[in-house]
Amino acid sequence: MTGVALWTQHRSHLGPAEYARLRIGQPYAQVTEHLPARSLDGPPHGAPAEPPGADECRYYRTTLLATIPVYRLCFTAGHLTDKTEVP
């Protein structure tokens, strides 16, 4: 089970260098080609509200072993409109 858990966590991990390269305004297709295979199922407990008007927000692990903080990426009209580290 430990191996499965680590594999799953790895597939939702977005490294800090990759996160830093993402720019507000980038097209969805450009952003998603650099993202991990999976995002988390939703925001962590106690996460702040998603930005108003966002069409979709995705959450990714910042580290392999911890559940928080996470990176939140939000998209509106086909572009990255918000990137936030959620504690």
Side-chain angles (χ1 to χ4, degrees):
M1 290 301 285
T2 301
V4 171
L6 287 174
W7 179 76
T8 301
Q9 290 171 352
H10 174 71
R11 292 178 49 88
S12 62
H13 173 253
L14 178 61
E18 291 83 8
Y19 176 77
R21 281 192 277 267
L22 300 175
R23 299 286 177 241
I24 299 297
Q26 276 185 287
Y28 180 86
Q30 282 183 0
V31 173
T32 57
E33 69 186 28
H34 299 288
L35 295 179
R38 291 182 38 101
S39 61
L40 300 175
D41 291 334
H45 180 71
E50 294 178 351
D55 296 329
E56 174 188 13
C57 292
R58 296 182 179 188
Y59 296 83
Y60 297 92
R61 293 179 182 279
T62 59
T63 67
L64 287 177
L65 301 177
T67 56
I68 53 173
V70 298
Y71 294 131
R72 177 177 70 195
L73 303 177
C74 297
F75 300 90
T76 309
H79 291 85
L80 181 64
T81 53
D82 181 72
K83 61 180 253 190
T84 305
E85 186 173 325
V86 176

